[in-house]
Amino acid sequence: MTKEPTRAEETRTAWKAVLEKYYEDRSTPLNALYWSDKDTWSRDKIRAVQDEKIAAVAPFLYENSDFYRRRFDKLGVAPTDIRDVDSMVANWPVVTKQEMMEDAVAHPPYGTYTTCGPEEWADRGWMHFSSSGSTGVPRVFRYTHFDRRFWEQANARALYSGGLRKGDTAFPMVGFGPHVFAWGVQYTLAKMELPVIPGGGMDGKARVHHIDRFKPTILVCTPSYALYLGRVMQDMGLDPAASSVKWLVTGGEPFSGVEGTLERLQDLWGAKSLEFYGCTEVSPHCGGYSCPEYQEGDENFIHLMEDIQVWETVDPERLQPVAEGEKGLTVCTNLNSESSAQLRFLVGDYTRLSTEPCACGRNHVRAMGCMTGRSDDLINLRGIKFFPVQIEEAVRAVRGTGDEFQIKLVTQEDGLDVMTVLVEHTDPAAGEAVAKEIRSRCEIRCAVEVLAPDTLPKSEMKAKRVNDLRNKG
């Protein structure tokens, strides 16, 4: 006797069928400009596909995620109430990291916010990733080989848009831990059939020797590590700008929207740095990416891949949508996964969205000014609020400062919270210039400690630049 499928199985089958409907299995591009024709879909076509996916994913989440079922029931919202983008925004408040962290604590080790359970993991499990945990308990996400195929295509579209082509060779310089950025790039390079020189497990000098000897054209790393490696190369008597490197595929940290950092990177290497923006929860593959035009206007921007995600911006206080062109926090709905489809997750990066046509021919929404600081990173010092990227811009503005810096926050014996910024420079007097830049940009006075070059630690992964030792009581 044939066993009738459960409601969870039925909705999973229906959701995967919608995903498959729009899947392309490509190892080569559509043409010289685009990996896929999805890149040039009209705004109406993009919205129609988003609506179709949302109608299928809402019941899937209700039946396959206890986190979502509890949230639907608590809100008094039925899955059928979420039929398209408009009804989703109207009926579904944003999901926060705090909610996910609480779920992970209550239901260890994986939480219940994903739809990859023990059965799916055992049958077609691919890889386990986790958030950095920089804002609390790390959120863990298991993805399947079904997901992997969709990652590969999304990332290929992004990397091809940035300029990677046949004839390029990549050199990934990462530790390949449980963070998504480098893994997604690695699998996609294989799908694009581009050669790779493995760069894990080496120190900076060994990597410089590899660049000098084997001539890769693509470096895959964080922006801070690309700066560090370039300095190591210079110390060894080699010029990064005269090397074989043409492309810097960078992720894990904001840089294109940070005044001075993108310029410093590209001047150092004589190469073009490509944005590869996403997050573990809802955009584990590339969500934001560079096109040939992204540095050509008055301000840099990145495209956001809308046929597989819905991107919004909300105000930081009420978490309600803001008008197009207004600055807000990013919210993402992931419509490209069996394992971690999510509705309206608050990613929390500041940007402004624009649907104005791009000269590159891609019609997907643009994040103008790129990403300029995550709300989680906001520092409140004696009532004055600012972001680490503002300190970074101040440091970059002073000629001769090193690429690394640190922010140290402490509480004095008299109870006053104070900040010291540590920078590297050959001239001890440079601290005054940095302090002046910080006052100008952040409207706060702070101490600046000048250290000798190459004093501050470097990292292959996200640079940890804020050391908050204040009394929290």
Side-chain angles (χ1 to χ4, degrees):
M1 183 176 179
T2 304
K3 180 182 176 182
E4 290 294 320
T6 65
R7 180 63 179 156
E9 291 169 337
E10 289 177 342
T11 55
R12 184 180 292 271
T13 298
W15 170 234
K16 291 172 70 176
V18 173
L19 291 176
E20 291 282 16
K21 178 179 177 181
Y22 295 104
Y23 174 71
E24 291 178 283
D25 187 10
R26 287 189 170 278
S27 294
T28 56
L30 177 69
N31 56 41
L33 297 177
Y34 309 110
W35 186 265
S36 168
D37 69 346
K38 296 182 178 72
D39 294 332
T40 56
W41 277 358
S42 69
R43 300 293 309 161
D44 289 342
K45 174 70 172 179
I46 290 170
R47 175 53 72 91
V49 171
Q50 289 176 335
D51 289 346
E52 181 181 358
K53 288 185 173 183
I54 286 171
V57 80
F60 165 69
L61 288 169
Y62 184 84
E63 299 293 345
N64 289 275
S65 164
D66 289 343
F67 173 85
Y68 272 90
R69 179 184 286 268
R70 290 190 300 269
R71 204 172 194 268
F72 270 107
D73 292 345
K74 181 180 179 179
L75 292 169
V77 174
T80 51
D81 292 331
I82 298 180
R83 306 172 302 279
D84 50 28
V85 172
D86 291 339
S87 59
M88 176 183 69
V89 173
N91 291 296
W92 191 258
V94 298
V95 175
T96 66
K97 293 175 185 176
Q98 183 63 35
E99 289 180 74
M100 281 192 177
M101 286 189 286
E102 291 171 357
D103 183 60
V105 171
H107 306 281
Y110 297 108
T112 63
Y113 44 76
T114 72
T115 49
C116 180
E119 183 177 338
E120 290 77 28
W121 185 248
D123 178 60
R124 52 190 176 277
W126 169 44
M127 205 169 284
H128 157 138
F129 300 100
S130 71
S131 67
S132 63
S134 59
T135 56
V137 178
R139 279 87 62 207
V140 180
F141 296 80
R142 293 181 290 184
Y143 288 93
T144 65
H145 282 283
F146 182 91
D147 297 309
R148 173 186 53 75
R149 295 188 294 123
F150 290 83
W151 282 39
E152 290 169 350
Q153 293 303 318
N155 289 345
R157 287 166 61 186
L159 295 177
Y160 195 78
S161 172
L164 274 60
R165 296 291 188 271
K166 284 287 188 182
D168 285 320
T169 298
F171 188 32
M173 299 176 297
V174 292
F176 284 106
H179 307 297
V180 298
F181 159 57
W183 283 112
V185 173
Q186 177 69 32
Y187 274 79
T188 301
L189 291 169
K191 188 64 178 176
M192 296 174 75
E193 299 180 352
L194 296 183
V196 172
I197 301 170
M202 301 179 189
D203 64 14
K205 289 184 178 180
R207 287 169 172 159
V208 168
H209 283 306
H210 265 58
I211 293 171
D212 188 45
R213 182 179 180 187
F214 300 115
K215 313 298 183 189
T217 57
I218 306 162
L219 301 188
V220 182
C221 57
T222 62
S224 57
Y225 191 79
L227 288 170
Y228 164 70
L229 191 71
R231 304 309 178 191
V232 172
M233 200 168 201
Q234 289 176 332
D235 291 343
M236 294 172 64
L238 298 170
D239 181 6
S243 74
S244 58
V245 175
K246 298 190 302 180
W247 309 106
L248 304 172
V249 176
T250 45
E253 300 166 358
F255 73 97
S256 291
V258 182
E259 183 180 336
T261 297
L262 178 65
E263 293 81 3
R264 184 176 288 212
L265 262 176
Q266 296 191 150
D267 289 347
L268 175 63
W269 283 97
K272 194 164 187 178
S273 191
L274 308 179
E275 187 85 57
F276 197 93
Y277 169 74
C279 70
T280 307
E281 295 89 347
V282 288
S283 185
H285 45 65
C286 192
Y289 59 101
S290 306
C291 75
E293 302 293 327
Y294 92 109
Q295 295 183 49
E296 298 303 316
D298 295 333
E299 61 180 338
N300 299 334
F301 63 85
I302 55 174
H303 285 280
L304 299 170
M305 213 170 285
E306 290 186 279
D307 57 295
I308 59 176
Q309 295 159 336
V310 178
W311 288 91
E312 313 167 53
T313 43
V314 298
D315 74 82
E317 300 299 328
R318 299 181 302 113
L319 301 182
Q320 293 298 312
V322 300
E324 181 176 327
E326 291 185 16
K327 187 176 182 180
L329 300 179
T330 51
V331 171
C332 181
T333 293
N334 184 19
L335 303 173
N336 201 45
S337 175
E338 171 192 19
S339 301
S340 190
Q342 304 285 347
L343 298 180
R344 302 197 75 212
F345 177 78
L346 181 66
V347 181
D349 288 302
Y350 280 96
T351 195
R352 296 178 294 105
L353 299 183
S354 171
T355 57
E356 289 294 315
C358 181
C360 77
R362 290 168 178 82
N363 294 315
H364 296 255
V365 69
R366 292 183 290 165
M368 306 305 296
C370 301
M371 304 298 168
T372 56
R374 186 158 288 185
S375 58
D376 298 332
D377 298 333
L378 182 69
I379 296 172
N380 188 336
L381 182 63
R382 305 193 299 271
I384 298 176
K385 298 178 182 180
F386 56 94
F387 291 96
V389 294
Q390 292 173 268
I391 303 297
E392 182 174 349
E393 289 174 342
V395 172
R396 302 285 187 243
V398 176
R399 181 181 292 274
T401 53
D403 298 318
E404 282 304 323
F405 67 95
Q406 285 190 357
I407 300 168
K408 186 177 181 180
L409 302 161
V410 299
T411 304
Q412 297 182 150
E413 290 185 2
D414 61 4
L416 183 69
D417 290 341
V418 297
M419 176 173 72
T420 301
V421 176
L422 284 68
V423 300
E424 298 174 339
H425 204 289
T426 56
D427 182 3
E432 184 177 342
V434 174
K436 183 178 180 180
E437 288 287 346
I438 292 172
R439 285 198 303 275
S440 172
R441 296 164 189 269
C442 303
E443 299 182 349
I444 193 165
R445 293 181 181 273
C446 70
V448 176
E449 182 177 346
V450 179
L451 306 175
D454 300 322
T455 300
L456 295 172
K458 280 64 174 184
S459 173
E460 294 180 11
M461 300 309 294
K462 293 183 181 180
K464 181 174 173 55
R465 290 173 171 148
V466 180
N467 190 12
D468 192 343
L469 303 174
R470 291 177 290 182
N471 297 338
K472 299 299 196 291

